[in-house]
Amino acid sequence: MSIGKYCNRDVVTAPPGISVHAAARMMSQYHVGDLVLAEHVDRERCRPVGLITDRDLALRIVARNPPDQDDLLAVDLVPRPLVIANQNDDVFDVILNMRRANIRRIPVVDDFGLLVGIATADDLVGFLADRLHELSLLIRQQSLREEDIRAEDV
């Protein structure tokens, strides 16, 4: 199961040079908890270079209230090199990589490194819950079938 099948393809992007205040306004406008900072390679496609979250804004700007916050760019809040997933990566490998990197969101790219979507911990929990539900239905179905077989034997 490749992550490309399950990632959210509706990604809000912003240029790396966007101010933190403009980034916060974009998150509010689009009702999202993150922005993928990306450099456009053409009109429709872009290459992710960073990711900023509402948590980054809350903990690094609001809570600390730095004196230079009006001059800060979103890219200044990117804490580490961007961890990405290829759209062909296995869902479970992506989950493991997210845990290892201690991240809840991961941009998904194609073989050329261009953005195709984003996978979030919340989305992946939903994916796993759906699979577990299907498995529980199988178990229930087999139990009912065994009861029918026992009833026929009587």
Side-chain angles (χ1 to χ4, degrees):
M1 295 180 284
S2 66
I3 194 68
K5 274 178 126 171
Y6 302 102
C7 69
N8 182 348
R9 299 213 176 232
D10 187 22
V11 182
V12 180
T13 64
I18 191 171
S19 73
V20 293
H21 294 292
R25 285 191 297 275
M26 276 188 77
M27 286 185 207
S28 176
Q29 176 185 356
Y30 291 102
H31 305 285
V32 294
D34 60 76
L35 291 177
V36 175
L37 304 177
E39 297 171 341
H40 280 270
V41 296
D42 61 32
R43 190 168 249 252
E44 296 178 9
R45 300 176 304 157
C46 58
R47 181 169 285 110
V49 296
L51 185 117
I52 183 172
T53 68
D54 49 4
R55 183 174 173 84
D56 294 328
L57 293 172
L59 296 180
R60 305 212 29 224
I61 302 299
V62 176
R64 293 183 183 168
N65 195 23
D68 62 342
Q69 67 179 289
D70 291 336
D71 299 325
L72 285 176
L73 304 178
V75 74
D76 295 331
L77 298 185
V78 175
R80 58 184 163 269
L82 182 64
V83 178
I84 59 171
N86 182 284
Q87 65 185 349
N88 299 314
D89 290 347
D90 181 77
V91 170
F92 296 103
D93 290 338
V94 172
I95 292 169
L96 182 60
N97 290 339
M98 289 172 70
R99 185 184 62 78
R100 286 180 179 154
N102 196 30
I103 56 174
R104 295 179 51 89
R105 299 167 173 95
I106 188 167
V108 179
V109 299
D110 64 14
D111 292 334
F112 302 103
L114 301 176
L115 185 67
V116 297
I118 189 165
T120 69
D122 292 351
D123 294 337
L124 292 170
V125 165
F127 162 77
L128 294 171
D130 290 346
R131 297 303 153 306
L132 287 172
H133 177 70
E134 290 297 322
L135 187 58
S136 72
L137 292 175
L138 169 65
I139 292 168
R140 179 70 180 139
Q141 182 180 3
Q142 284 185 336
S143 293
L144 292 173
R145 193 165 93 207
E146 289 173 13
E147 287 176 17
D148 288 344
I149 290 171
R150 280 192 296 257
E152 289 174 6
D153 289 343
V154 175

